[in-house]
Amino acid sequence: MHGTMLAAVFEDEGRLVVREVPVPVVRTPQDVLIKVEACGVCGTDIRFLAVPPVIQARKGVILGHEYVGEVVEVGTDVSQFQPGDRVAVIPDLPCGRCQFCAEGRPNLCENMVSIGADMDGGFAHYALAPARALYPISAELPAEEGAFVELLSCVLGGVQKAALLPGEDVVILGAGPAGLVYLKVLKTAGAGRVIMVEVSPWRIEFARRVGADEVVNPRQEDVREAVRAITGRGAHVVVDAVGSQLAVAISVARKGGRIIVFGEDHQAECTLRPQDIQGQELRILGSFIGIPLFPKAVKMLESGVVQFKDLITHRLSLADLPAGIAELAAGRGAKGMCFPWL
C-alpha cells in the first residue's frame, strides 16, 4: 500500500501536530500493517505532552498505544494473521532475553520498547506493528470497547494482586480513566462499597453516574474520617490510581488491608511511618502494565461481562485530537477515544 495518511505526530515539547505522512510499508518478515479502527487517549499520552514532559517519547513519533484495527498486509514470515483479521495491540515489547523475561515477568523487562513512544503508534489511519505485538479479537467486538483492552490488562494486574473477596470495601484514589476502570472491574468482581476520592467537580459527578457508591472530595472533608464513617474500620482494598497518594492510601486502609500503587507520578514523594504499615499488617503492592493478562482482558471484553463505552466522553477525529487531549488534561472529561476515519 502506498500514498499518504493523517497521523498525530509528537513534534516537540508540548506539540502534537496532525499532518500527512507516508503510509507505513511492510519491510520485515514479521511486520503487520493495520487499519486503525479506534485508539484510546491514555494518561501516558498526556504526560508525554506536558510542559515540561513528565515522561519521554521520541520526537517525531506517532503517539497512541491503546489501539485495535484490521490487518491489511502481513510480512512473509507471519502465519498467525492474515488480511481481514481484527487485532488488538500489546504496546510494550519485552526483549525476551533479560533476567526478568527469563523469570516469566515480561512486564518488568529491562529493555522494554514501547509502541506509541519509541515506535510509531495508532493515532493514524494505518499503523505498523510486529506480529508478536498483536492479539486476535472477535469480529463482533465493538472497536470502542476493544480499545480498552490495554488499560484493562493493566488494571487486571492490580486486581489480581488485590485478591478481592466478595463484599469487601474498596477505596479508589482518583476518578480518571484508570480509576473508573478499576471501579467497574472491582464492582463486577463482587466488591461491597466502592468509594472514590476525587477533587475535580466534573469527575466527582461522573464517577457517581457510572457506579461509585460514594465520592469523597478531600478539599471539602477529611478523607480518613469520611471513609471510616462509611466503612467502620477502613477499606479492605485501596487503589492509588493517581500515583502520589500512598500516605492517604495507608490512612484509609483497615488493618490487614491491601494497597495497590497503580498510578504513575514520577515526581511524587511521601513520608511514611513504618509503624503504620507494620502495626496494621498492611500489604503495599506495586502494579505495572499487564502484558501477561492481555488474553484475560480480551476475553472479558468479548464476553461483555464488563463494558466501558459509557466512560468515553470525547469521541475524536484525528483533526480534533490535540484539542481533545488538552480538554482531558484539564480534567474536563473521562476517557478520550480517537476514531481516525471520522
Side-chain angles (χ1 to χ4, degrees), residues 4-237:
T4 62
M5 65 178 186
L6 284 181
V9 180
F10 175 61
E11 290 207 334
D12 207 338
E13 187 174 288
R15 292 185 60 211
L16 183 69
V17 178
V18 178
R19 57 182 173 85
E20 284 200 4
V21 301
V23 173
V25 176
V26 170
R27 297 186 185 279
T28 78
Q30 282 293 316
D31 278 349
V32 177
L33 182 65
I34 301 157
K35 182 179 180 180
V36 179
E37 297 175 6
C39 184
V41 177
C42 178
T44 301
D45 299 311
I46 293 171
R47 290 190 288 274
F48 287 149
L49 292 165
V51 180
V54 179
I55 51 179
Q56 298 292 328
R58 176 176 61 82
K59 289 182 182 179
V61 77
I62 298 170
L63 295 184
H65 60 273
E66 298 180 352
Y67 71 93
V68 295
E70 179 183 333
V71 173
V72 175
E73 185 180 350
V74 301
T76 56
D77 286 354
V78 177
S79 58
Q80 66 270 50
F81 300 109
Q82 59 186 3
D85 289 346
R86 294 183 78 226
V87 292
V89 176
I90 306 170
D92 297 297
L93 304 176
C95 70
R97 301 182 302 275
C98 72
Q99 184 66 38
F100 293 102
C101 285
E103 292 174 359
R105 306 185 74 181
N107 59 316
L108 300 181
C109 173
E110 295 177 312
N111 307 300
M112 193 85 75
V113 175
S114 296
I115 292 172
D118 306 304
M119 303 165 54
D120 285 340
F123 287 149
H125 286 137
Y126 295 93
L128 198 67
R132 70 187 180 99
L134 305 180
Y135 194 87
I137 61 172
S138 165
E140 285 73 43
L141 180 64
E144 62 187 10
E145 291 282 349
F148 276 91
V149 65
E150 194 273 336
L151 175 54
L152 176 58
S153 71
C154 296
V155 166
L156 288 179
V159 171
Q160 189 176 71
K161 293 179 178 72
L164 179 84
L165 292 175
E168 290 188 323
D169 292 328
V170 175
V171 169
I172 301 171
L173 304 170
L180 295 169
V181 171
Y182 265 104
L183 164 68
K184 291 210 166 212
V185 173
L186 289 167
K187 293 278 276 189
T188 301
R193 286 160 293 190
V194 179
I195 305 157
M196 302 200 79
V197 178
E198 177 57 58
V199 297
S200 161
W202 189 96
R203 284 182 169 178
I204 288 170
E205 292 307 313
F206 188 81
R208 290 191 176 115
R209 289 206 306 272
V210 297
D213 295 299
E214 303 283 349
V215 186
V216 176
N217 185 343
R219 292 178 177 168
Q220 296 179 353
E221 53 189 321
D222 182 277
V223 177
R224 183 182 185 279
E225 294 305 317
V227 170
R228 288 292 191 280
I230 297 166
T231 64
R233 292 183 173 85
H236 299 85
V237 172

Side-chain angles (χ1 to χ4, degrees), residues 241-287:
V242 180
S244 62
Q245 301 297 306
L246 181 55
V248 176
I250 290 171
S251 76
V252 299
R254 63 178 282 154
K255 291 182 178 180
R258 291 90 71 196
I259 296 170
I260 306 301
V261 182
F262 180 85
E264 285 191 72
D265 186 330
H266 294 205
Q267 299 169 334
E269 297 179 355
C270 66
T271 301
L272 306 176
R273 295 175 66 243
Q275 172 62 22
D276 292 339
I277 301 168
Q278 180 268 335
Q280 298 186 81
E281 288 201 347
L282 298 180
R283 280 170 279 173
I284 301 175
L285 303 164
S287 188

